[in-house]
Amino acid sequence: MKNRVITISRQFGSGGRTVGKKVAEQLGIPCYDHELIEKIAEESGFAKEYIAERGEYSSHGGWFANAFSDRDFYGHSTQDDLWAIQRKVILKLAEEGPCVIVGRCADYILRDEADCLNVFIHASIAKRAERIVEQYGEREVSPEKRLKDKDKRRASYYQFYTDQKWGAMQNYHIALDSGVLGIEKCAEILAGLF
């Protein structure tokens, strides 16, 4: 029998990571987000900072730029190596038992390997801007610009490695607006669905 896994994709600043941690806590199962970065670092030898930045974000803003930049003569990149290791680690974690996995294309990677509940957490740009200023002290660059840039790079990465559109409703079982519902209610809904 396949293990039950909640995968959480999220817009930057929507609180998806916090939702994941809270739902895992309610269910008494592990949540992998920063822990996933550590496991990938152990497996790959890549620095945690590199993995955090390149493990779910393209280095450039668009799919086309991602397809052709930072590649050798044969079309290979270190980001491709990172993708392969990340995939291996995510498959292993899902095999070990029920869990919550935040980001890193886990919904796509586990599509045939686990009993997944694929979730997309989103919120209005105003709510997300407010959250990143409050939570992370983001003030140097306009919060709205930072949100758009992070989401664009995340979408580009997702499309490049999955050939699917990030945030498209057909890729998820449920989408929750954390700006309207709140973090606690989102976690409660997901724990109930689990």
Side-chain angles (χ1 to χ4, degrees):
M1 177 183 221
K2 295 178 179 180
N3 286 317
R4 185 83 162 134
V5 177
I6 296 175
T7 68
I8 297 183
S9 297
R10 74 274 184 238
Q11 289 180 316
F12 181 64
S14 67
R17 173 186 302 140
T18 306
V19 170
K21 290 194 178 302
K22 287 189 178 294
V23 74
E25 195 176 280
Q26 288 178 26
L27 295 169
I29 60 176
C31 178
Y32 298 106
D33 179 34
H34 290 300
E35 303 81 1
L36 188 56
I37 292 170
E38 290 173 21
K39 289 181 182 299
I40 295 167
E42 288 169 18
E43 184 81 24
S44 69
F46 287 123
K48 291 178 195 173
E49 297 76 20
Y50 179 82
I51 296 164
E53 184 59 24
R54 302 297 285 282
E56 66 178 342
Y57 295 107
S58 70
S59 55
H60 307 283
W63 178 90
F64 188 76
N66 194 48
F68 294 104
S69 62
D70 302 327
R71 298 194 174 277
D72 65 17
F73 179 75
Y74 302 101
H76 183 82
S77 74
T78 54
Q79 193 158 5
D80 295 337
D81 293 335
L82 180 57
W83 166 260
I85 294 163
Q86 181 170 281
R87 183 180 182 285
K88 179 180 167 187
V89 168
I90 288 171
L91 288 167
K92 185 174 185 281
L93 292 172
E95 190 178 289
E96 289 174 359
C99 59
V100 176
I101 300 177
V102 179
R104 305 198 183 307
C105 304
D107 58 311
Y108 179 80
I109 292 168
L110 297 174
R111 68 193 181 283
D112 299 322
E113 305 297 327
D115 178 16
C116 288
L117 173 60
N118 297 325
V119 180
F120 191 80
I121 304 292
H122 62 97
S124 70
I125 200 149
K127 290 280 189 183
R128 294 187 299 130
E130 180 183 310
R131 181 175 170 78
I132 67 169
V133 168
E134 183 182 293
Q135 295 287 316
Y136 311 121
E138 299 272 343
R139 296 184 201 286
E140 293 173 20
V141 180
S142 139
E144 292 81 4
K145 181 180 179 340
R146 180 133 162 83
L147 291 167
K148 287 177 184 173
D149 176 60
K150 286 279 233 186
D151 284 346
K152 182 178 179 183
R153 291 175 51 222
R154 198 173 269 174
S156 172
Y157 179 89
Y158 188 88
Q159 182 180 358
F160 185 79
Y161 284 103
T162 70
D163 201 26
Q164 296 183 1
K165 186 172 180 188
W166 177 77
M169 67 181 170
Q170 63 270 22
N171 297 331
Y172 309 97
H173 299 114
I174 188 169
L176 299 172
D177 186 332
S178 61
V180 172
L181 298 171
I183 301 293
E184 297 292 336
K185 189 63 172 177
C186 288
E188 183 184 315
I189 290 167
L190 296 178
L193 289 172
F194 184 82

